Amino acid sequence: MEIEEEMFIEDDFEVLHIIDYGFPRRVYNRHNHFDNMDDLSFFRRFRLYKETVLHVLQQIEHNLEFNNDLNNSVSPINQLLTTLQFYATCGHQTAIGDFMGIHQSAVSRIISKVSQGIARLGPQYITMPNRQEQIHIQSRFYNISRFPRVIGCIDGTHIKIQNPGTDDGEVFRNRKGYFSLNIQVVCNADLKIMDIVARWPGSTHDMTIFNNSMIRARFEARQFENSFLLGDSGYALKSYLLTPLLNPIRPEEIRYNEAHSRTRNSVERTFGVWKRRFPVLAYGLRCKLENALTTIVATAVLHNIARRQNEREPPPPEYINFEQLQYLIGQGVFSQKQDIGPKYV
């Protein structure tokens, strides 16, 4: 009884304090990172140049504005920077909120809203080539290793997620033992993503995803005549999808496999550049499944925008330690030969 009475008295004191002084006001000092940071620091923190961030903001700002500022609303630019900080760190939302001067609950809502706005730009930035563009893409692929008539390389990459926790949660566990999403990507020789399928669990085979994808239906309908996709040995050989020979013996078979491997390496490089720019894809997504899917598509859109803007690849984030860097190297995000800065050598 004494303990209950003490708790009751403490609660009374809190109520009386609120009556006398009102509810405590949360005060956040929001920094103007866009104007206060120099270009290099901004690039390292947010993984995009300021010019590119403004380019993206112009296209989604109408979805981020508030009608008034009565509740100290977060500006559209700070909403976008909050989301980019999440993509760049995959840190806890509380830490991101402290960096941006925003409460954690607001950070969660902002990331979801901004990611949806960016993902809606997908039909504009993630597209297969038209007939005129096919000739240019075929030429770009041909210059790599003289493999003719290639308009894209296809492969899947696993992006780690937390256990969805549903009755079907185990279907997301891949062959390596962790929960993931198997993301199918078709890219061109300039490492741009031309098609993405982001909805299949990690246990799904690459060929199953392809067989149920729109890109297969489009090739079957002969929308891309006189053109090939290149895939690894996990795909079945098709008239429009070429795979490597399993046991090459003759010189021409060996040359075919060598040219195929060098050309198809474009998709592996695309995964590396994509995950290097947005380490959240390499570390893993600790959010709801639907938000994870939106985030993956949104980062693919931003990747293509960055490639279109001719942005260079960002260096490793300043805050990762040596063990984390070695993990990213193991994931293919960084290479030992790349310039990773004296701090990590």
Side-chain angles (χ1 to χ4, degrees):
M1 287 294 294
E2 293 180 358
I3 296 177
E4 293 180 358
E5 290 177 358
E6 289 178 2
M7 293 177 61
F8 180 74
I9 293 173
E10 290 179 1
D11 290 342
D12 279 350
F13 278 128
E14 291 181 4
V15 172
L16 292 173
H17 187 275
I18 291 174
I19 293 175
D20 291 337
Y21 300 102
F23 285 96
R25 181 175 178 82
R26 295 179 298 192
V27 179
Y28 295 96
N29 297 319
R30 292 175 183 164
H31 304 286
N32 188 354
H33 294 303
F34 187 87
D35 293 330
N36 294 340
M37 282 189 180
D38 61 85
D39 292 341
L40 179 58
S41 298
F42 185 90
F43 184 55
R44 293 182 70 96
R45 289 277 186 173
F46 300 103
R47 323 303 286 169
L48 295 172
Y49 285 119
K50 292 183 178 182
E51 181 181 353
T52 304
V53 170
L54 289 178
H55 176 73
V56 175
L57 181 64
Q58 291 174 357
Q59 300 177 74
I60 65 173
E61 187 173 11
H62 62 281
N63 294 321
L64 308 180
E65 292 178 334
F66 292 93
N67 295 329
N68 54 65
D69 194 30
L70 295 178
N71 295 319
N72 195 23
S73 59
V74 184
S75 64
I77 182 63
N78 278 341
Q79 293 182 53
L80 178 55
L81 294 184
T82 299
T83 305
L84 291 177
Q85 182 69 6
F86 172 73
Y87 296 163
T89 65
C90 194
H92 294 286
Q93 294 179 359
T94 302
I96 296 174
D98 292 341
F99 176 71
M100 297 299 302
I102 304 171
H103 190 263
Q104 180 274 327
S105 60
V107 171
S108 178
R109 293 191 298 269
I110 287 171
I111 292 173
S112 178
K113 181 171 65 173
V114 176
S115 296
Q116 291 176 15
I118 298 174
R120 292 192 190 101
L121 302 177
Q124 179 180 348
Y125 290 100
I126 303 178
T127 59
M128 290 295 291
N130 56 35
R131 290 188 179 276
Q132 294 180 347
E133 294 170 339
Q134 287 181 39
I135 298 175
H136 172 73
I137 292 176
Q138 289 176 353
S139 176
R140 294 283 293 163
F141 273 119
Y142 183 81
N143 291 336
I144 295 176
S145 191
R146 298 186 178 277
F147 204 114
R149 297 166 54 188
V150 177
I151 67 165
C153 297
I154 185 171
D155 201 1
T157 183
H158 287 268
I159 295 179
K160 186 178 180 180
I161 61 172
Q162 64 182 6
N163 185 352
T166 62
D167 295 337
D168 298 327
E170 281 299 316
V171 77
F172 289 88
R173 192 187 296 276
N174 62 28
R175 67 181 186 276
K176 295 184 178 179
Y178 62 88
F179 296 96
S180 69
L181 292 164
N182 193 356
I183 310 302
Q184 176 181 281
V185 165
V186 177
C187 76
N188 63 17
D190 296 322
L191 311 187
K192 293 180 182 178
I193 297 174
M194 301 188 297
D195 186 79
I196 184 170
V197 179
R199 64 175 181 270
W200 290 86
S203 63
T204 311
H205 193 273
D206 289 350
M207 194 62 195
T208 301
I209 300 175
F210 178 73
N211 285 336
N212 291 275
S213 65
M214 182 60 68
I215 191 66
R216 173 183 177 273
R218 296 181 67 182
F219 270 94
E220 293 283 355
R222 298 185 177 181
Q223 293 186 17
F224 306 101
E225 293 184 353
N226 199 36
S227 298
F228 298 128
L229 289 176
L230 297 187
D232 61 19
S233 56
Y235 293 93
L237 180 66
K238 303 282 186 178
S239 60
Y240 50 82
L241 175 56
L242 303 183
T243 59
L245 300 174
L246 296 181
N247 298 301
I249 299 176
R250 293 180 295 180
E252 56 269 27
E253 294 176 340
I254 296 175
R255 288 197 299 269
Y256 167 85
N257 268 15
E258 290 178 350
H260 186 285
S261 177
R262 291 173 182 170
T263 307
R264 199 190 65 83
N265 183 253
S266 297
V267 70
E268 302 294 345
R269 292 172 56 209
T270 299
F271 291 148
V273 173
W274 184 24
K275 293 181 179 181
R276 177 175 182 173
R277 186 173 298 279
F278 303 112
V280 67
L281 303 176
Y283 292 142
L285 289 159
R286 299 190 299 267
C287 56
K288 293 181 180 179
L289 182 60
E290 55 268 26
N291 291 338
L293 298 175
T294 305
T295 295
I296 292 169
V297 176
T299 55
V301 171
L302 293 177
H303 166 81
N304 279 4
I305 293 176
R307 300 299 297 182
R308 182 178 294 187
Q309 297 288 105
N310 294 319
E311 289 202 4
R312 65 182 179 90
E313 298 177 26
E318 298 175 344
Y319 41 78
I320 65 174
N321 55 37
F322 180 77
E323 289 75 14
Q324 290 174 321
L325 181 62
Q326 294 302 310
Y327 171 77
L328 293 179
I329 291 175
Q331 292 290 311
V333 179
F334 296 106
S335 170
Q336 293 282 11
K337 297 181 180 180
Q338 289 175 329
D339 180 15
I340 58 178
K343 180 178 178 180
Y344 303 100
V345 176

